[in-house]
Amino acid sequence: MHLQKEIPNVKGLSVTNLKYMKKFYEMYSPLNRPQLVDDLRISHSSGNFDKIFSIPWGHQRYIMDRCEGDLNKAFFFISKTLENSWSRAVLLNLLDTDLFNRQGKVITNFTTNLPALQSDLANEMTRIAM
């Protein structure tokens, strides 16, 4: 069935995109994951849950693929993407280099001595080099 012929002026309903939409629902829906309802309430109260809808769909697809249901990891990358305005290529690179698990491993004074953007870049360069 070709949905675009049935619904005029609607884009993005490819089979692949529909599968990602289902994956998005399954990953973030407390109804499908009752064990995470409390975590989602905490995340929602801290603003993380609202951030899910603030990043582009292409970024979200990479996060869903690489985080495989780990909401802490997904929220980490969503927050960092929003804070640093990461492009899709930068996000993919940092997902592939396992930034979430490497975060905080190097002790530096970048955050106290540099402006926020430069300290983030310096920290990322240090982590990637290691």
Side-chain angles (χ1 to χ4, degrees), residues 7-73:
I7 306 172
N9 301 322
V10 175
K11 296 181 180 182
L13 296 178
S14 68
V15 172
T16 302
N17 236 3
L18 289 171
K19 287 179 183 178
Y20 272 108
M21 290 175 201
K22 180 182 178 199
K23 189 174 185 176
F24 180 91
Y25 174 77
E26 290 170 346
M27 183 167 175
Y28 296 115
S29 173
L31 298 175
N32 287 331
R33 301 180 59 171
Q35 74 276 14
L36 294 175
V37 171
D38 290 334
D39 292 343
L40 286 173
R41 277 193 201 118
I42 292 166
S43 294
H44 189 314
S45 66
S46 66
N48 284 339
F49 197 72
D50 295 333
K51 291 179 183 179
I52 293 169
F53 302 104
S54 300
I55 64 170
W57 181 244
H59 287 60
Q60 189 61 253
R61 287 175 54 170
Y62 282 142
I63 290 171
M64 286 188 290
D65 285 342
R66 301 302 197 290
C67 294
E68 291 297 324
D70 183 343
L71 290 180
N72 290 328
K73 188 174 181 179

Side-chain angles (χ1 to χ4, degrees), residues 104-110 123 126:
K105 303 273 188 203
V106 177
I107 299 171
T108 67
N109 64 353
F110 295 146
N123 278 322
T126 304

